[in-house]
Amino acid sequence: MDGYNEEVHCPFCESDDVTLMSLFGSAQLVRQFYCNKCKSAFEFIKWTEHSQGEEEVSKVANHRNEAGVVGSGTMGAGIAQVLAVCGYNVILFDVKEEIVSSSITGIHRRLDRLSEKNKLTVEQAELAKKRLRPVTALSEMKNCQFVIEAAPEKIEIKKEIFMELDKHCIEEAILATNTSSFSVTEIGSITKRPEKVAGLHFFNPVPLMPLVEVIKGERTSGNTMRKLTELGREIGKIPVSCSDTPGFIVNRIARPFYNEALKIRNERTASAEQIDRIMKKAGGFKMGPFELQDLIGIDINFSTTVSVHEGFYGDSRFRPNYSQQRKVQAGQLGRKSGRGFYSYES
Amino acid sequence: MKADIGTGLNRVMLTGSALLVESMKADLQQKGCHIVTEESLAGTSEKVDVVIETITQNTEEKKRVLQDIESKVEAETLILSSCISISITETASFLSHPERVIGIGLFGPWSELSFIEAAAALQTESVYKEQAAAFFEMIGKEVEWVEDEAGFVFPRILSLIINEAAYALGEGAASAEDIDMAMKKGTNYPFGPLEWADKIGIDEVYAVLRGLYQNLGEERYRPAPLLRKMVHAGWIGHKSRRGFYERG
């Protein structure tokens, strides 16, 4: 146990106000610390085999990295959680303090649940919590390596955020948008660094869904794509690259699964129940198109179709079905409203 | 009554795609069916209970083969026709006895189909629907009866998903590998659409799309240029060693 009680200083700010968060390893002894002064996480690795030498060989993993998340709704909170668990010091922004702090409370609760389920150790969960910092000014993101915007899907809001970020963030910072319906090229063009702007499209719920689409705007550089792809892998996701096309990969190619099913039902070739049964039994899909719309929310599904249809300038392959709009107008949105294509009222 | 139908439906005549016929033959024999060939039928009084015809890509050929079969079997023989590219009603119209035609939607290898979509033509009489139901039960296939339309349900929806993936690939939106990965991991598909197309046969997918395009006349069913060219080049997937992916 020698070398344990030595005084540890934060490698970033030299402060000795550090907390030992966790300690593990056998051939190597890894100790993870959190600096209470500059709020960095860092780790020391010590070889325990004498032949390997006595010196501490690694000062820090890249845990200094600060990442910003703009927007603390469902997607933003999910992204912040994943980044924090993977060692990033996350700056989470929202317009009002109560909004962002309630979002942080929610993330804490989910982290606790993860450690109760033994998906994380208690120390990992506590460390992740310490890595989350709520802010209400985008200027706080000035030192971030990456900023991921997950604000409401309104182009004016996004443009305003990107102009602000462009002004405040260090030159090398990469600015990514989690948009699912706007052009990454359009958002990038509002900044002076379009080569460092790209899409990073996560899927809901972010901590569970393994995919992330990395979207290359017309002016996005290869280096930005590589760095975001690496970031995706680093936070445990499977990154795929896509050019800046409406709906990117998933939202575009999945359209017929819902849209053609709606048309078949509407033409009375088969009922919703039959189509669901056929797609599961003949196709091996886990859920049928109508069950899945009820789960996602028929309104959400409809607006995705509308947005992809608009993105392709009304190409009839994506034409929404009026029967889906009627469901939305009737307030029959699926599980969340107790009724959609199926009834969930008890 | 039902038992009568069941026991009386075991002499089966198969015609159409050689690959499909081969795999069906072995399976049906195992289930107790006696396979009647055109040769064994010629000049004998042997009776056929069920005809299964699986021509999907060439309507003219389908018509010719069905008319030829009709001249060889009795007027009451049940005919099951795989109709993924035209309607069953149109298929039935090729025959002088259209009332015994039932459409089935075969899409993918026979061995993997434990579940079959079936539909009656407008001309179909209900007794043949009952016979078909008894036959499916005998050979252990679960059946879902839908209304008659080109492409049925699963072939239609999956072909449109594959078509969209082919458009995206053709436009350079993403690589084949990334498209397949995205659909498996982003929305839980059992296979990526492009690897799925290779498995089913790009010619079959193209037949469904072309059939929908011709029958329903809507732009949304237009086959992606890449799919059309691949079919013309003979790059139709596993059957040809080359499709969206190359094999060994």
Side-chain angles (χ1 to χ4, degrees), chain A residues 167-183:
Chain A
K167 199 166 71 189
H168 296 299
C169 291
I170 48 171
E171 207 183 314
E172 59 268 35
I174 288 177
L175 310 179
T177 171
N178 181 51
T179 186
S180 59
S181 45
F182 296 116
S183 152

Side-chain angles (χ1 to χ4, degrees), chain A residues 137-168:
Chain A
L138 288 174
S139 55
E140 301 264 4
M141 301 209 172
K142 59 180 188 295
N143 290 322
C144 290
Q145 307 291 311
F146 298 97
V147 179
I148 303 167
E149 168 272 322
E153 289 281 274
K154 296 254 165 55
I155 191 70
E156 298 74 29
I157 296 181
K158 292 193 191 269
K159 282 187 172 175
E160 203 178 307
I161 290 168
F162 274 80
M163 269 176 354
E164 278 272 299
L165 289 172
D166 193 32
K167 199 166 71 189
H168 296 299

Side-chain angles (χ1 to χ4, degrees), chain B residues 22-50:
Chain B
E22 271 316 298
S23 61
M24 281 170 89
K25 191 172 161 184
D27 179 58
L28 292 177
Q29 278 171 335
Q30 214 175 23
K31 306 247 163 72
C33 293
H34 172 64
I35 306 297
V36 183
T37 60
E38 289 199 43
E39 298 77 61
S40 72
L41 199 63
T44 68
S45 59
E46 195 172 13
K47 207 172 137 278
V48 175
D49 303 311
V50 185

Side-chain angles (χ1 to χ4, degrees), chain A residues 72-205:
Chain A
S72 68
T74 312
M75 294 303 283
I79 296 166
Q81 179 187 325
V82 169
L83 286 167
V85 167
C86 294
Y88 279 88
N89 291 313
V90 180
I91 300 173
L92 181 61
F93 167 91
D94 217 315
V95 285
K96 284 208 180 99
E97 195 165 339
E98 54 271 31
I99 299 176
V100 66
S101 50
S102 104
S103 172
I104 297 253
T105 311
I107 301 172
H108 285 191
R109 212 169 40 236
R110 283 188 291 279
L111 288 167
D112 287 337
R113 215 171 306 143
L114 286 173
S115 72
E116 278 160 28
K117 288 185 189 161
N118 292 323
K119 307 257 170 158
L120 291 179
T121 65
V122 177
E123 292 81 8
Q124 283 172 321
E126 289 307 313
L127 194 54
K129 285 182 195 175
K130 284 189 180 281
R131 291 192 188 115
L132 290 158
R133 187 155 71 88
V135 301
T136 53
L138 288 174
S139 55
E140 301 264 4
M141 301 209 172
K142 59 180 188 295
N143 290 322
C144 290
Q145 307 291 311
F146 298 97
V147 179
I148 303 167
E149 168 272 322
E153 289 281 274
K154 296 254 165 55
I155 191 70
E156 298 74 29
I157 296 181
K158 292 193 191 269
K159 282 187 172 175
E160 203 178 307
I161 290 168
F162 274 80
M163 269 176 354
E164 278 272 299
L165 289 172
D166 193 32
K167 199 166 71 189
H168 296 299
C169 291
I170 48 171
E171 207 183 314
E172 59 268 35
I174 288 177
L175 310 179
T177 171
N178 181 51
T179 186
S180 59
S181 45
F182 296 116
S183 152
V184 170
T185 307
E186 184 182 5
I187 294 171
S189 294
I190 205 87
T191 70
K192 294 194 186 72
R193 60 177 97 191
E195 74 287 353
K196 293 201 182 75
V197 176
L200 198 59
H201 185 223
F202 290 88
F203 293 79
N204 189 22

Side-chain angles (χ1 to χ4, degrees), chain A residues 209 241-243 250 252 257 260 263-264 267-269 274 277-278 281 283-284 286 316-319, chain B residues 117 142 144-147 154 156 160 164 167 171 173-174 178 182 186 188-190 196 218-221:
Chain A
M209 293 299 282
S241 333
C242 179
S243 63
V250 175
R252 170 186 182 172
F257 183 70
E260 198 60 18
K263 193 162 183 279
I264 291 170
E267 290 165 356
R268 301 287 186 272
T269 299
Q274 285 189 303
R277 215 155 40 225
I278 291 167
K281 290 190 171 175
K286 302 238 165 43
S316 72
R317 299 205 303 279
F318 303 101
R319 188 178 58 229
Chain B
E117 287 178 68
E142 192 180 346
E144 185 80 45
W145 291 93
V146 298
E147 293 303 314
F154 171 59
R156 177 169 168 179
L160 284 169
E164 200 51 49
Y167 270 115
E171 290 163 12
D178 276 1
N188 231 343
Y189 281 18
W196 215 340
E218 286 184 63
E219 179 69 15
R220 73 201 259 129
Y221 300 111

Side-chain angles (χ1 to χ4, degrees), chain B residues 124-145:
Chain B
T124 306
E125 281 174 12
S126 62
V127 58
Y128 292 101
K129 205 174 152 179
E130 285 160 32
Q131 275 192 24
F135 177 72
F136 293 131
E137 198 183 327
M138 186 184 86
I139 63 169
K141 302 278 183 195
E142 192 180 346
V143 61
E144 185 80 45
W145 291 93

